[in-house]
Amino acid sequence: MSQSSLVNVDVAIVGGGMSGAVLALSLAALRGADGEPLRVLLLEASAPELNAHPGFDARAIALSAGTCEALARHGIWPRFAPHCAPITHIHVSDKGHAGQTHLTAAEYGLPALGQVIELSAAGITLQQGMAQCPHIRVCCPAQLADIEPLEEGVRLRLASGEHYQTRLLVAADGGNSTVRQHFKLPVTRHDYGQSAIIATVKTAEDPAGRAFERFTEGGPLALLPMQEGLSSLVWSVQRDQADALMALDEQAFLAQLQQAFGWRLGRFLQTGVRHVYPLALAATDYPLAQRTVLVGNAAHLLHPIAGQGFNLGMRDLDLLTQALARALAAGEDIGSFEVLNGYWRQRRDDQAHTIWLTSSLAQLFSNGHGPLVAGRNLALSLMGRLGCLKAPLANQTLGFVSQTTR
């Protein structure tokens, strides 16, 4: 291979879903000590049609207040804002039991606890942003054929025959990360034996900013408020029950949903296309390799309970961007072990705590054992009465998590 056929970039991101695209835009705004912008390469395997893109499908996600602040810091929030619906109230309950608690934006002095955005809308605005940025080179569809770590960089070969060399490689390619597999990074896995049914639903009553987390016999059921009076449903059920629910016609499905959720938003009137996803934990024990870092779902694929998935990933992107900005200002090598390990020291406690929290909640609230049911309902009741007990849940939900360096 001739040197003329090798394209040099500063950062190569594998994966063009939410995490990869947000990171690309965040990094493209950085400048080195010489004032030159970072050259960012984004490699995405899927064709650009958003309706078929696995990273921008029919789901909607909740962006915590902390995530919205981070997006604003990196200049991305103005792109998302027109497509978002605010969450002003969160109601948490356990089906068939009295325990419940509430979170409201007013009690925390916030305009909203978070925002809900459809992934398809997010995908469109992120792709528009990258297309308008001269420092981002998007290759899509692009199949990564080989990764060759070198002392001075990482060399990438695409199936098309193109060759790139980057100072830093970032894996944002999801729970089945090819980059993670290439480096054989150890992963902690757990199958919850559940699947999540995802759909947009219409209720008789407008959710008007209200989000719900309802714990049922089969798993948690969440409704997130969307624009135009709709709600996004994330219903976690046992895997065999998911197959049965997916086989029902619309009216029969809505009847089952009504029975599980109750009548807090009146009658369920309509559902859009239903999708089903198996639920499992996949957490990388140490998300670093030679000049390489894993972020988002490539580093930690979580249960959707409490809506922590992308919000945890956004804290990865935020802290990584800040770490690289400091390194650039100091004239340091952005792909060096010192820079990446410093980033990981800031992230590991938050990642470990969030993984533990979501796994614990998923198992606690999917268990019908009598003492556990009594204990969790007592906890919900006390949180509803004592603000000091609710604070840890609120801090995690809001995404205001302190970062420590050790």
Side-chain angles (χ1 to χ4, degrees), residues 11-17 19-25 40-44 130 136-140 142:
V11 181
I13 302 169
V14 180
S19 292
V22 166
L23 182 63
L25 286 169
V40 179
L41 170 70
L42 186 140
L43 303 175
E44 170 53 48
M130 290 190 294
I136 301 175
R137 178 171 185 165
V138 178
C139 293
C140 178

Side-chain angles (χ1 to χ4, degrees), residues 59-82:
R59 292 170 295 173
I61 58 170
L63 308 174
S64 69
T67 288
C68 295
E69 284 194 2
L71 289 168
R73 279 197 299 275
H74 300 297
I76 298 171
W77 174 245
R79 296 184 175 277
F80 280 10

Side-chain angles (χ1 to χ4, degrees), residues 16 29 73 135 146 189 194 213 270 272 325 343 348 385 403:
R73 279 197 299 275
H135 316 307
D146 189 48
R189 299 182 185 276
Q194 297 177 337
E213 186 91 51
Q270 188 178 357
Y343 155 80
R348 60 187 178 191
R385 293 174 172 83
Q403 309 293 340

Side-chain angles (χ1 to χ4, degrees), residues 140-225:
C140 178
Q143 295 290 337
L144 187 58
D146 189 48
I147 303 172
E148 182 184 1
L150 305 169
E151 183 177 348
E152 67 279 10
V154 180
R155 192 161 293 179
L156 308 173
R157 178 172 61 84
L158 307 187
S160 61
E162 296 173 85
H163 291 79
Y164 294 90
Q165 184 161 312
T166 180
R167 298 161 64 191
L168 171 64
L169 175 63
V170 181
D173 51 344
N176 295 316
S177 170
T178 56
V179 176
R180 186 184 67 207
Q181 294 172 31
H182 173 85
F183 286 103
K184 297 181 172 58
L185 296 176
V187 178
T188 298
R189 299 182 185 276
H190 175 72
D191 188 339
Y192 294 105
Q194 297 177 337
S195 293
I197 297 175
I198 314 292
T200 299
V201 296
K202 175 72 173 176
T203 53
E205 190 174 335
D206 190 319
R210 289 172 291 170
F212 298 86
E213 186 91 51
R214 177 89 161 148
F215 299 112
T216 72
E217 297 88 344
L221 188 164
L223 282 180
L224 303 174

